[in-house]
Amino acid sequence: MQNQVRTEDLATQQDSRGQASFTHGLICRFDRDSSSIRLDSVIEEVVYAATLNGAPYRDMTCSPWDVRELVIGSLYTSGRIDRFGQILKLEVDEEAGTVVAETAADAGAAGSVVDRVLCPEASRDRPIEPMLTAQEVSERIEYLEGGSELFHRTGGVHSAVMVDRDGELVAWFEDIGRHNALDKLAGWCVENEADASDKILLFSGRVPREIIARAIRIGFPVVISPGAPTNLSIQLACEHGVTLIGFAKNGKFNVYTHTARIR
């Protein structure tokens, strides 16, 4: 069975926060041997060609919102800036699909680089103090899994969410790429001078090494995810004093590093 998608069957919409866009289109849905035509929600994807100080920086494949925060966060997590004031120019042209960024001559930060993400050496000396109960860990992940309307509608985004010790929302960012979602959160933190050292990162996806590296760079002491970590992410979290919690779902979770933060 073949059908053409008509223009009147397509619509770009926004999520509950007015930030995210997706389209509606006709699809052919199969359930075993039977088929039906229905509307489906499809997440949007765009590509920005970014330059930094006049040279090609990277092609940024991302969701078409919070691109400014994404660029700032990418510059920060990669160590090209250490504070927002080191950005001299940042222009995002949505129509052309370009980003132009310029940084100060003395911009940059020191530390070891892990998968193009800068990990400050000072993070290795962070104190390990109780922050959450087991019940609070479960409540935080329930909040994450219930809060993304866009994911429930499209299945196409990851979330990076900052909450405080009491579970109150500080910032929530989403993107088709899990690295992008966390870079957007990093960019927001840098621009708003937000301190993550006493906050918790709720992250929707798997937690490989480059995700933990970003969490370290931003300053999070605790990362909670319903997904799986890797041996290298566990090693890096252990070395830099991060409490890494994975497979958090339905009241159960695994604490892989620095369990003293869970009281």
Side-chain angles (χ1 to χ4, degrees):
M1 184 182 298
Q2 293 183 346
N3 287 271
Q4 288 186 334
V5 177
R6 300 168 299 175
T7 302
E8 58 266 30
D9 292 322
L10 295 171
T12 299
Q13 301 192 18
Q14 293 182 325
D15 73 356
S16 59
R17 290 181 293 279
Q19 297 176 325
S21 55
F22 54 90
T23 62
H24 279 152
L26 286 176
I27 65 166
C28 181
R29 171 73 172 181
F30 277 83
D31 186 352
R32 296 181 174 85
D33 294 330
S34 62
S35 64
S36 60
I37 300 298
R38 63 178 65 182
L39 281 174
D40 189 46
S41 299
V42 179
I43 195 68
E44 284 196 291
E45 178 181 20
V46 297
V47 180
Y48 283 89
T51 61
L52 175 61
N53 298 328
Y57 174 48
R58 55 178 287 202
D59 285 343
M60 311 185 84
T61 303
C62 60
S63 299
W65 59 85
D66 301 324
V67 177
R68 173 186 172 85
E69 286 82 358
L70 173 61
V71 177
I72 297 170
S74 176
L75 294 174
Y76 179 74
T77 58
S78 64
R80 287 170 170 82
I81 62 168
D82 201 36
R83 61 185 185 278
F84 180 69
Q86 291 177 326
I87 299 178
L88 303 180
K89 178 181 180 181
L90 179 55
E91 295 179 351
V92 178
D93 189 327
E94 295 181 5
E95 291 188 5
T98 59
V99 173
V100 176
E102 296 179 4
T103 58
D106 61 346
S112 57
V113 176
V114 176
D115 295 331
R116 297 190 298 177
V117 181
L118 188 87
C119 291
E121 295 299 326
S123 61
R124 295 176 181 270
D125 301 321
R126 74 170 79 223
I128 310 299
E129 300 173 347
M131 287 187 65
L132 295 163
T133 66
Q135 177 64 32
E136 287 170 340
V137 171
S138 296
E139 289 172 354
R140 304 299 179 262
I141 206 65
E142 288 175 6
Y143 173 69
L144 170 68
E145 300 217 309
S148 176
E149 287 188 24
L150 192 59
F151 174 78
H152 292 299
R153 181 178 290 271
T154 68
V157 294
H158 285 285
S159 297
V161 181
M162 175 191 283
V163 296
D164 64 18
R165 285 174 177 256
D166 297 323
E168 294 297 319
L169 176 65
V170 180
W172 189 311
F173 287 90
E174 296 174 318
D175 196 273
I176 57 170
R178 63 178 185 264
H179 307 87
N180 290 346
L182 197 44
D183 276 346
K184 286 179 176 181
L185 178 56
W188 181 88
C189 289
V190 171
E191 187 169 11
N192 291 277
E193 299 183 348
D195 181 8
S197 65
D198 60 347
K199 307 298 190 304
I200 295 137
L201 172 63
L202 310 179
F203 188 71
S204 65
R206 292 178 291 108
V207 190
R209 188 172 73 153
E210 63 266 29
I211 292 298
I212 280 295
R214 283 170 167 81
I216 292 167
R217 174 65 169 143
I218 300 168
F220 285 107
V222 178
V223 176
I224 306 175
S225 171
T230 67
N231 64 317
L232 292 182
S233 67
I234 293 170
Q235 177 183 328
L236 194 63
C238 185
E239 291 173 353
H240 288 266
V242 174
T243 298
L244 175 56
I245 300 173
F247 292 105
K249 203 174 184 87
N250 300 325
K252 300 177 182 179
F253 56 88
N254 298 339
V255 185
Y256 294 89
T257 57
H258 302 293
T259 59
R261 286 202 179 93
I262 312 302
R263 58 183 188 274

